[in-house]
Amino acid sequence: MEEEWIVDRSKLRGIWFEHPNWSREKIAKEVGRSEAWVRKWLKRIRQAPLEDREVLIGRSRVPHKLPPSIPEEVVNKILDIRDHPPQQLGRIPGPLTIMYYLSKEQSLIDKGAKLPSSTSTVWRILDKHHKIPRPYPPIAEPEERPAPGVEWGMDFHDVSTVPAEPEGKQQHVVEILNLVDHGSSAVVASEPASDYNAETALRKVADILQDTGCPDRIRLDRDTRWVGSWTAKDFPSPMLRFLQCLGIEPRVCPPRHPEKNPFVERYHRNFKYECQLVQNPTDLPNTVEVNKHYVQFYNFERPNQAITCGNQPPHVKFPEKPDLTPVPETVNPDRWLMALTGKTYKRKLDSKGCFQLGNQAYYVQKSRRGQVVVIWVDAQKRTLSVYKDKVVIKTLPIKGLQNCTMRFQEYLELMCKEAISAWRKAQHRTVRYG
């Protein structure tokens, strides 16, 4: 890069020598540089003879001599003002305030002591003497490991080595649904597919639970296929209700905190660098094949440094499968409502005096259109209490409840239909509002 600059400076000198009357604008166009650049280098070139090559070489911007240091007595005075400000000030003085009081110190002025001319200098002095409070970095507390089979982590992993389809999906062409047991670090299930949405993901989770049984908890992120709206300002999504009705507690991680679901995220990292970027699968069949072999290797052969595994493969350390609760034959489809006892929502009434909650419209009063109300859920009575200014203005029965038990397969189909409906609405909002 320096060689190119030297050539341009040499060209500038030649043009100036041949055309001394040209304007800076015309010279800049000829050289291909800015007028400021031409002004700077013409000043240097005019002061040097033509045979001087050194003038074409850039100069270091490092100061030739360091600025004089701040005297120790000034530093002590800065610290004294910081620690013992004038009583009428009523606050801890900052650099600007300290500089003001320094300029009033007659003893320093009489001695001709050098005072700082920049707030950054005062700041550095305060920081050097530990007068600037700095928060300590957060200390990560290790989570207590549950027993095998108690809690799972669930998430999607994008197989980025699969190229985009010319006339189809441009990203997330192939994804792997992974479930990892927190107690043993073993991969419970790993299912690649190219068509995961709210409905297909729910069906796949249902198949896994029917094969393995139900843990006590499943931790997951705010993927819209899991939670519907990531804002959590509505009734639970079909997936969350499905888990709750099977007796599984869903634990939704806060947004932008992958460390809250560490076991499955760690497995994704291992798979990416140990398998995906090594094998480079480029389509779904290839992904299925390499994923199958890696899961077998991970569970039975690969030494795992997790605290619970003790540098052994998960299924070697824990050879016996945990005794999980099987999927029930009949399900109470309204069981999820109990988890919302005391839950409150804020809604603005539309032009008809209605609000939306759980894909259902509720009428309050047309005369209250445009008002903001608070809705309180009473799960025992299965009602919604609508509050305005701490006063109940209406009590409404919760819509969409089944009020009867259902066979598992029948309940699964009901949840899949609701998942399809919710997914289509979410996609419509994405297309409409971008």
Side-chain angles (χ1 to χ4, degrees):
M1 184 63 73
E2 177 65 20
E3 289 76 12
E4 296 178 10
W5 293 339
I6 291 175
V7 171
D8 287 349
R9 295 162 193 158
S10 178
K11 184 178 180 181
L12 171 65
R13 181 162 63 176
I15 293 173
W16 168 74
F17 182 75
E18 295 178 5
H19 307 281
N21 297 325
W22 278 15
S23 66
R24 281 199 297 266
E25 181 181 2
K26 191 172 182 179
I27 296 175
K29 286 183 180 180
E30 189 69 21
V31 180
R33 293 283 183 171
S34 67
E35 290 188 44
W37 184 88
V38 170
R39 181 173 60 251
K40 168 187 171 182
W41 284 100
L42 270 182
K43 181 180 178 181
R44 296 184 184 180
I45 290 171
R46 286 169 176 163
Q47 296 173 355
L50 289 177
E51 63 274 8
D52 186 3
R53 184 182 178 279
E54 295 297 322
V55 73
L56 303 179
I57 301 175
R59 301 173 185 174
S60 173
R61 297 185 180 182
V62 177
H64 296 291
K65 60 179 181 179
L66 295 176
S69 59
I70 303 299
E72 186 176 355
E73 56 184 338
V74 176
V75 172
N76 293 335
K77 191 60 184 179
I78 290 174
L79 299 178
D80 181 63
I81 295 173
R82 178 75 171 186
D83 293 335
H84 306 95
Q87 293 184 354
Q88 63 271 22
L89 186 62
R91 61 181 174 85
I92 298 176
L96 271 175
T97 307
I98 291 175
M99 289 176 64
Y100 171 80
Y101 285 117
L102 274 179
S103 65
K104 303 297 182 182
E105 287 293 329
Q106 194 62 41
S107 59
L108 298 178
I109 296 174
D110 294 341
K111 293 180 180 179
K114 176 178 173 52
L115 302 180
S117 58
S118 170
T119 56
S120 61
T121 304
V122 179
W123 186 272
R124 283 196 299 270
I125 293 172
L126 295 175
D127 192 34
K128 179 181 178 181
H129 292 82
H130 310 290
K131 300 300 181 180
I132 305 297
R134 297 187 179 276
Y136 289 102
I139 300 175
E141 296 184 3
E143 292 189 11
E144 183 179 354
R145 267 55 169 185
V150 173
E151 184 176 66
W152 294 350
M154 180 169 70
D155 197 8
F156 292 104
H157 175 70
D158 177 33
V159 185
S160 57
T161 54
V162 178
E165 300 174 354
E167 298 181 358
K169 297 175 70 175
Q170 298 301 303
Q171 56 183 351
H172 309 303
V173 180
V174 173
E175 295 177 287
I176 305 176
L177 172 59
N178 289 312
L179 290 94
V180 177
D181 183 79
H182 289 189
S184 64
S185 296
V187 179
V188 178
S190 185
E191 301 290 342
S194 59
D195 61 346
Y196 276 127
N197 54 38
E199 184 249 342
T200 56
L202 193 151
R203 288 189 182 277
K204 185 60 67 176
V205 171
D207 292 341
I208 294 170
L209 294 176
Q210 286 181 293
D211 291 339
T212 62
C214 302
D216 294 347
R217 303 182 294 272
I218 291 182
R219 198 178 301 190
L220 42 92
D221 62 15
R222 291 181 179 268
D223 191 304
T224 54
R225 290 168 287 190
W226 299 142
V227 301
S229 172
W230 68 272
T231 58
K233 293 181 179 179
D234 206 339
F235 277 169
S237 67
M239 171 62 79
L240 299 183
R241 279 184 279 152
F242 177 77
L243 296 177
Q244 290 172 335
C245 289
L246 296 185
I248 302 172
E249 177 192 353
R251 292 191 172 181
V252 182
C253 301
R256 296 180 293 275
H257 280 278
E259 76 280 359
K260 298 297 183 180
N261 202 1
F263 293 90
V264 69
E265 293 290 351
R266 178 64 188 186
Y267 173 72
H268 287 171
R269 175 185 172 87
N270 294 336
F271 174 81
K272 178 180 179 180
Y273 290 104
E274 297 176 7
C275 178
Q276 177 180 317
L277 298 182
V278 176
Q279 301 293 335
N280 288 309
T282 56
D283 54 27
L284 179 57
N286 195 5
T287 302
V288 171
E289 185 66 23
V290 300
N291 182 68
K292 178 181 177 181
H293 289 296
Y294 184 77
V295 171
Q296 177 72 14
F297 167 74
Y298 185 89
N299 280 338
F300 291 92
E301 301 177 40
R302 180 185 181 278
N304 196 305
Q305 279 80 47
I307 296 175
T308 52
C309 291
N311 203 34
Q312 297 185 61
H315 282 181
V316 174
K317 178 66 175 181
F318 302 95
E320 297 183 3
K321 291 186 177 181
D323 186 18
L324 300 181
T325 305
V327 170
E329 294 183 4
T330 59
V331 179
N332 176 7
D334 301 330
R335 180 177 176 178
W336 61 272
L337 186 60
M338 300 308 297
L340 297 185
T341 300
K343 178 80 173 179
T344 58
Y345 299 90
K346 184 174 71 172
R347 290 292 186 272
K348 184 178 181 179
L349 302 182
D350 61 18
S351 60
K352 298 179 181 179
C354 300
F355 66 87
Q356 291 280 335
L357 186 61
N359 294 325
Q360 300 287 345
Y362 294 87
Y363 174 74
V364 183
Q365 289 177 8
K366 190 173 182 179
S367 60
R368 294 184 178 272
R369 59 183 178 272
Q371 295 184 7
V372 176
V373 296
V374 175
I375 299 110
W376 186 79
V377 180
D378 189 335
Q380 296 292 339
K381 297 180 180 179
R382 301 192 173 200
T383 59
L384 301 175
S385 298
V386 184
Y387 284 81
K388 178 61 180 175
D389 298 330
K390 301 181 181 180
V391 177
V392 179
I393 59 176
K394 199 160 189 179
T395 301
L396 302 166
I398 298 177
K399 298 179 181 180
L401 301 180
Q402 302 301 314
N403 298 310
C404 65
T405 58
M406 305 174 69
R407 297 189 64 82
F408 174 78
Q409 200 61 38
E410 182 184 4
Y411 173 64
L412 174 60
E413 294 302 322
L414 173 66
M415 288 293 98
C416 287
K417 289 181 181 179
E418 293 194 16
I420 293 173
S421 176
W423 181 253
R424 286 175 178 170
K425 288 183 179 180
Q427 295 303 303
H428 174 71
R429 287 194 296 268
T430 302
V431 172
R432 185 176 179 183
Y433 303 109

